[in-house]
Amino acid sequence: MKIIWFKGDFGNQVFSCAFYNYLKKKYPQEKIYGCMKTNYPIVVNKYFDLELPKSNRYLDMLLFVIFGALEKMHIDICVSTDDHFKENMILYNGYWQNNKFYDRDNRWLKMKLPKDIGQKNLEILEVMRSTDSVSIHVRRGNYLKHKEIYGIDTENYYRNAIAKIKEKLENPVFFYFSNDMEWVRENMGDTNRDYYIDWNTSDKSYLDMYLMSNAKANIIANSTFSYWAAYLNDNNIVIYPKEWYNKMSHINSPSIFYEDWIAI
């Protein structure tokens, strides 16, 4: 028996599903369960055609307490974690941000799209497909509350990333995505020329990921949300921040990037 604690928001839940599939292939005879008690609602199977491990809401609270206690007491006798990964364990407590757990071929990851994605999104898709479109994702919001972890030199990063794109594409057209579009409009791009996608909110925000996955190139934030958008994109120009975390946090960048992606 194996139990995976699903942790984090939408993007992190995709990593957990990928890890679940990895364990299923490695241990086909094992029963694998999930602990779905987390600080975020489990939405990954709502937006992606992905299978979740079996879970029980009555046991989830008990498992949540067990995982939390083991983590607090730094007990890893039967636990596999990101820092101390042991493949054949009983309990798995991590975010599993490592592309060794899933294929580069993205056909395993299919979005569940409504028949009608909205007129505005259809119009943006048409422009993206007919131009040298570049999606730029700017993650702010809760990142501002945790600058000691997620605070990176965004000004230099985006400036250098846009300069690199202009070396690659003759007539790039920029499409901005953010959870703080007011700030982006005031500080980035040209409001008379660029596109600012600000209408896919709440339970429609996953449509931003879909739009980004259709751009000719992606400039992603240090965010799993735009990471998966770039991963889903069959175009191969992807720029990502070399420093995924604040330098002072001493947290290593995850092993999720590919050799043909550009680190800045």
Side-chain angles (χ1 to χ4, degrees):
M1 181 180 70
K2 299 181 183 303
I3 302 171
I4 303 168
W5 187 11
F6 272 59
K7 301 170 69 175
D9 56 10
F10 178 32
N12 284 305
Q13 291 168 28
V14 181
F15 282 108
S16 291
C17 280
F19 183 64
Y20 168 56
N21 289 331
Y22 173 83
L23 288 181
K24 280 201 306 179
K25 292 176 183 177
K26 281 281 186 177
Y27 305 98
Q29 305 305 317
E30 290 266 17
K31 291 184 177 180
I32 303 176
Y33 300 94
C35 172
M36 302 301 175
K37 174 67 177 175
T38 180
N39 293 328
Y40 296 88
I42 301 297
V43 297
V44 63
N45 60 328
K46 180 179 179 181
Y47 303 129
F48 281 107
D49 187 15
L50 288 172
E51 178 188 0
L52 293 175
K54 291 181 179 179
S55 63
N56 183 300
R57 61 193 181 101
Y58 297 107
L59 289 175
D60 271 355
M61 181 57 74
L62 175 60
L63 289 170
F64 178 74
V65 172
I66 292 172
F67 271 113
L70 292 173
E71 186 175 67
K72 188 175 182 179
M73 293 185 288
H74 305 288
I75 296 175
D76 61 357
I77 296 174
C78 60
V79 183
S80 182
T81 65
D82 290 319
D83 292 333
H84 300 95
F85 179 63
K86 293 164 285 187
E87 191 167 88
N88 193 9
M89 281 286 110
I90 298 174
L91 302 177
Y92 296 86
N93 178 8
Y95 290 94
W96 317 119
Q97 294 182 10
N98 193 313
N99 58 23
K100 73 179 182 181
F101 297 132
Y102 51 90
D103 295 332
R104 176 72 189 267
D105 186 332
N106 62 21
R107 285 178 292 181
W108 66 274
L109 191 59
K110 297 292 184 184
M111 294 196 82
K112 293 180 178 178
L113 294 171
K115 291 181 179 179
D116 181 10
I117 64 171
Q119 186 59 36
K120 285 184 175 181
N121 290 325
L122 287 172
E123 291 171 359
I124 288 296
L125 272 180
E126 185 176 350
V127 178
M128 282 184 154
R129 289 168 176 169
S130 62
T131 63
D132 285 337
S133 52
V134 182
S135 76
I136 301 178
H137 184 225
V138 182
R139 177 75 179 264
R140 285 173 58 81
N142 63 329
Y143 273 26
L144 299 180
K145 299 178 182 178
H146 303 285
K147 289 184 178 180
E148 73 282 1
I149 298 175
Y150 302 110
I152 63 173
D153 187 355
T154 55
E155 183 178 346
N156 279 326
Y157 167 64
Y158 286 109
R159 182 177 62 249
N160 293 332
I162 289 170
K164 177 62 71 173
I165 284 292
K166 290 179 178 179
E167 294 175 8
K168 299 280 186 180
L169 299 174
E170 187 175 350
N171 296 300
V173 179
F174 298 104
F175 297 77
Y176 286 91
F177 298 82
S178 180
N179 57 353
D180 189 354
M181 193 58 78
E182 182 179 354
W183 183 90
V184 172
R185 285 181 185 275
E186 292 176 357
N187 294 277
M188 299 182 69
D190 183 340
T191 56
N192 295 315
R193 179 195 62 205
D194 300 332
Y195 294 83
Y196 297 80
I197 318 304
D198 61 1
W199 53 82
N200 293 318
T201 58
S202 189
D203 64 344
K204 299 292 185 183
S205 60
Y206 74 103
L207 292 173
D208 276 0
M209 183 185 290
Y210 174 65
L211 292 178
M212 286 190 281
S213 73
N214 280 274
K216 298 294 196 314
N218 302 105
I219 296 175
I220 70 174
N222 55 332
S223 161
T224 58
F225 187 87
S226 51
Y227 168 81
W228 287 117
Y231 173 83
L232 286 168
N233 198 336
D234 291 326
N235 297 307
N236 61 1
I237 301 177
V238 178
I239 296 177
Y240 67 94
K242 184 186 300 183
E243 293 173 0
W244 198 251
Y245 298 104
N246 187 305
K247 284 182 179 180
M248 301 306 294
S249 72
H250 303 295
I251 302 174
N252 294 327
S253 293
S255 300
I256 57 177
F257 311 108
Y258 295 99
E259 289 184 1
D260 55 341
W261 290 15
I262 302 168
I264 287 182

